[in-house]
mmCIF file of all heavy atoms in Angstrom:
data_model
loop_
_atom_site.group_PDB
_atom_site.id
_atom_site.type_symbol
_atom_site.label_atom_id
_atom_site.label_comp_id
_atom_site.label_asym_id
_atom_site.label_seq_id
_atom_site.Cartn_x
_atom_site.Cartn_y
_atom_site.Cartn_z
ATOM 1 N N HIS A 106 104.173 121.502 94.492
ATOM 2 C CA HIS A 106 104.560 122.321 95.627
ATOM 3 C C HIS A 106 103.337 122.755 96.457
ATOM 4 O O HIS A 106 103.342 122.668 97.683
ATOM 5 C CB HIS A 106 105.339 123.548 95.127
ATOM 6 C CG HIS A 106 105.948 124.345 96.228
ATOM 7 N ND1 HIS A 106 107.154 124.975 96.109
ATOM 8 C CD2 HIS A 106 105.522 124.609 97.479
ATOM 9 C CE1 HIS A 106 107.443 125.591 97.239
ATOM 10 N NE2 HIS A 106 106.456 125.394 98.090
ATOM 11 N N GLN A 109 102.063 119.908 98.346
ATOM 12 C CA GLN A 109 102.875 119.667 99.546
ATOM 13 C C GLN A 109 102.404 120.520 100.719
ATOM 14 O O GLN A 109 102.274 120.033 101.842
ATOM 15 C CB GLN A 109 104.352 119.953 99.239
ATOM 16 C CG GLN A 109 105.250 119.808 100.448
ATOM 17 C CD GLN A 109 105.554 121.128 101.121
ATOM 18 O OE1 GLN A 109 105.860 122.107 100.442
ATOM 19 N NE2 GLN A 109 105.473 121.180 102.433
ATOM 20 N N HIS A 110 102.140 121.826 100.471
ATOM 21 C CA HIS A 110 101.630 122.689 101.544
ATOM 22 C C HIS A 110 100.381 122.066 102.168
ATOM 23 O O HIS A 110 100.256 121.980 103.382
ATOM 24 C CB HIS A 110 101.234 124.063 100.991
ATOM 25 C CG HIS A 110 102.384 125.016 100.812
ATOM 26 N ND1 HIS A 110 102.514 126.172 101.541
ATOM 27 C CD2 HIS A 110 103.442 124.984 99.980
ATOM 28 C CE1 HIS A 110 103.607 126.822 101.148
ATOM 29 N NE2 HIS A 110 104.188 126.120 100.196
ATOM 30 N N ILE A 193 102.259 132.008 102.155
ATOM 31 C CA ILE A 193 101.173 131.460 101.327
ATOM 32 C C ILE A 193 100.078 130.978 102.264
ATOM 33 O O ILE A 193 100.353 130.234 103.214
ATOM 34 C CB ILE A 193 101.691 130.281 100.472
ATOM 35 C CG1 ILE A 193 102.843 130.738 99.568
ATOM 36 C CG2 ILE A 193 100.556 129.662 99.642
ATOM 37 C CD1 ILE A 193 102.510 131.875 98.623
ATOM 38 N N CYS A 203 106.848 131.162 102.491
ATOM 39 C CA CYS A 203 107.383 130.397 101.361
ATOM 40 C C CYS A 203 107.691 131.342 100.216
ATOM 41 O O CYS A 203 106.941 132.282 99.960
ATOM 42 C CB CYS A 203 106.381 129.329 100.911
ATOM 43 S SG CYS A 203 107.072 128.248 99.643
ATOM 44 N N GLY A 204 108.797 131.078 99.520
ATOM 45 C CA GLY A 204 109.181 131.902 98.370
ATOM 46 C C GLY A 204 108.922 131.200 97.050
ATOM 47 O O GLY A 204 109.373 131.667 96.009
ATOM 48 N N GLY A 205 108.216 130.058 97.098
ATOM 49 C CA GLY A 205 108.037 129.251 95.883
ATOM 50 C C GLY A 205 106.865 129.697 95.026
ATOM 51 O O GLY A 205 106.241 130.728 95.272
ATOM 52 N N THR A 206 106.563 128.897 94.009
ATOM 53 C CA THR A 206 105.452 129.197 93.100
ATOM 54 C C THR A 206 104.290 128.253 93.406
ATOM 55 O O THR A 206 104.502 127.058 93.634
ATOM 56 C CB THR A 206 105.885 129.028 91.632
ATOM 57 O OG1 THR A 206 106.391 127.712 91.449
ATOM 58 C CG2 THR A 206 106.961 130.033 91.263
ATOM 59 N N HIS A 207 103.077 128.799 93.431
ATOM 60 C CA HIS A 207 101.896 128.019 93.842
ATOM 61 C C HIS A 207 100.727 128.298 92.914
ATOM 62 O O HIS A 207 100.708 129.327 92.240
ATOM 63 C CB HIS A 207 101.493 128.393 95.276
ATOM 64 C CG HIS A 207 102.642 128.349 96.239
ATOM 65 N ND1 HIS A 207 103.506 129.407 96.402
ATOM 66 C CD2 HIS A 207 103.081 127.369 97.058
ATOM 67 C CE1 HIS A 207 104.437 129.076 97.288
ATOM 68 N NE2 HIS A 207 104.202 127.855 97.696
HETATM 69 ZN ZN1 LIG B 1 105.521 126.983 98.979
#
Side-chain angles (χ1 to χ4, degrees):
H106 188 145
Q109 177 262 315
H110 278 246
I193 301 302
C203 186
T206 56
H207 310 84

